C-alpha cells in the first residue's frame, strides 16, 4: 500500500533550506490549484503499481483504517455490480455476433459487390420526387476500405447525410453507418461504386437487424495528406 504522508510536507530546496511544499507535491488530490484545502483524505487505485494510493493529513491511525475500510467495502460492491453489468453486455454482444455471422452465412457474402449491384452511381440524376441519396445504401469500393475490413459486408454503407449524398452538390462528404455493425464513419462520394439495387438493399437490412448499437468505426482507409478533394 502506498502512503503519501506528512513526512513529504517539508522538502529541501537546492540551497538546503526546508520548504513547505505539501500542496504542490505531497498532496495533489487534497488541495486545489490555489492551495485551498478540499479534503483531508483521498484514496484511489494506482494502476501502474496495482496498489491503493492514499493521501491524508490525518494523524490518527485508527481513523485512517476506518476510512480505508469504508472505501474498500464500497469498491467491492461497485466492482461486483460493474462485473455483472459487463457480463450482461458481453452476453448481448455474443448474441449480436452470432446473429451477424448467421446472416453472413445465409447470404454467402463471400462475393465482392461490384457496379453490377448498383442501380445508379453517386453522380447520376435522382429518380423523380427524390432530392438526395440520404437513407439509401451505398456500395463502397473494396479498395477504399482498410485492409482488415476488406469484406463484402463492409462495402454496404447506410447514407445518413453530408453534401456527397446529393449528386449536384460540390462537396463529397458522406456520413452514415456500416450495415455490418452499425459503426459510424465519414466516407467520400468518390469512394462509392454507387447506390445498391433492391436485392442488395435487402441484404443490408438483414445485416442491420443483427445489431442495435455501434462498433469499431475503423473501416475507412487513411487518405494521403496530398490527395486532392474532388
Amino acid at each position: 500500500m502506498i502512503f503519501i504522508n506528512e513526512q513529504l510536507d517539508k522538502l529541501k530546496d537546492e540551497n538546503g533550506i526546508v520548504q513547505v511544499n505539501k500542496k504542490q507535491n505531497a498532496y495533489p488530490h487534497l488541495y486545489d490549484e490555489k492551495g485551498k484545502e478540499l479534503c483531508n483524505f483521498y484514496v484511489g487505485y494506482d494502476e501502474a503499481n496495482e496498489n491503493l494510493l492514499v493521501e491524508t493529513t490525518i494523524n490518527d491511525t485508527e481513523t485512517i483504517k476506518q476510512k480505508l475500510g469504508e472505501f474498500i467495502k464500497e469498491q467491492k460492491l461497485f466492482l461486483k455490480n460493474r462485473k455483472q453489468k459487463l457480463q450482461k453486455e458481453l452476453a448481448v454482444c455474443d448474441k449480436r455476433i452470432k446473429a451477424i455471422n448467421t446472416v453472413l452465412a445465409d447470404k454467402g457474402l463471400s462475393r465482392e459487390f461490384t457496379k453490377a449491384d448498383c442501380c445508379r452511381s453517386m453522380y447520376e440524376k435522382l429518380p423523380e420526387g427524390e432530392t438526395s441519396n440520404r437513407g439509401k445504401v451505398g456500395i463502397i469500393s473494396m479498395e477504399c476500405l482498410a485492409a482488415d475490413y476488406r469484406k463484402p459486408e463492409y462495402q454496404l454503407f447506410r447514407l445518413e447525410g453530408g453534401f456527397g449524398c446529393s449528386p449536384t452538390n460540390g462537396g463529397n462528404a458522406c456520413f452514415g453507418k456500416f450495415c455490418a455493425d452499425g459503426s459510424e464513419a465519414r466516407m467520400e462520394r468518390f469512394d462509392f461504386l454507387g447506390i445498391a439495387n433492391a436485392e442488395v438493399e435487402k441484404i443490408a437490412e438483414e445485416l442491420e437487424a443483427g445489431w442495435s448499437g455501434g462498433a469499431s468505426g475503423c473501416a475507412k482507409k487513411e487518405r494521403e495528406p496530398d490527395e486532392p478533394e474532388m
Side-chain angles (χ1 to χ4, degrees), residues 63-229:
T63 302
I64 293 176
K65 288 182 178 180
Q66 178 185 349
K67 287 183 174 292
L68 277 174
E70 293 172 354
F71 171 81
I72 292 172
K73 183 178 179 181
E74 291 173 356
Q75 282 296 298
K76 283 184 176 180
L77 179 60
F78 168 77
L79 293 173
K80 180 181 178 180
N81 293 336
R82 181 59 178 161
K83 183 178 180 180
Q84 292 175 345
K85 183 177 180 181
L86 290 174
Q87 288 174 334
K88 291 180 180 179
E89 292 177 354
L90 180 60
V92 171
C93 290
D94 287 340
K95 289 181 180 179
R96 291 177 185 168
I97 292 173
K98 184 177 180 180
I100 290 173
N101 289 337
T102 299
V103 171
L104 298 183
D106 290 344
K107 290 301 174 183
L109 298 189
S110 57
R111 178 183 69 83
E112 179 180 344
F113 292 106
T114 67
K115 289 184 178 180
D117 297 298
C118 302
C119 62
R120 61 177 180 274
S121 75
M122 296 291 288
Y123 299 89
E124 288 183 44
K125 183 179 179 181
L126 296 171
E128 187 175 351
E130 296 185 16
T131 59
S132 172
N133 285 314
R134 184 178 301 174
K136 303 294 183 181
V137 173
I139 299 179
I140 301 170
S141 173
M142 190 72 82
E143 66 182 14
C144 291
L145 296 170
D148 292 343
Y149 292 87
R150 286 178 183 170
K151 304 172 185 178
E153 56 267 29
Y154 278 99
Q155 287 186 269
L156 306 183
F157 188 84
R158 181 70 66 178
L159 297 162
E160 295 183 341
F163 288 120
C165 289
S166 174
T168 58
N169 281 338
N172 288 295
C174 295
F175 299 96
K177 293 184 176 69
F178 287 93
C179 299
D181 58 18
S183 56
E184 298 179 354
R186 166 182 169 161
M187 303 297 294
E188 304 301 322
R189 178 164 48 181
F190 43 78
D191 290 333
F192 292 88
L193 298 174
I195 299 299
N197 60 29
E199 182 180 349
V200 177
E201 172 78 27
K202 290 180 180 179
I203 295 175
E205 290 176 354
E206 291 188 25
L207 285 172
E208 291 169 329
W211 53 265
S212 60
S216 60
C218 302
K220 182 71 174 75
K221 71 172 184 178
E222 291 187 7
R223 191 173 300 284
E224 294 297 329
D226 58 347
E227 188 168 350
E229 178 81 355

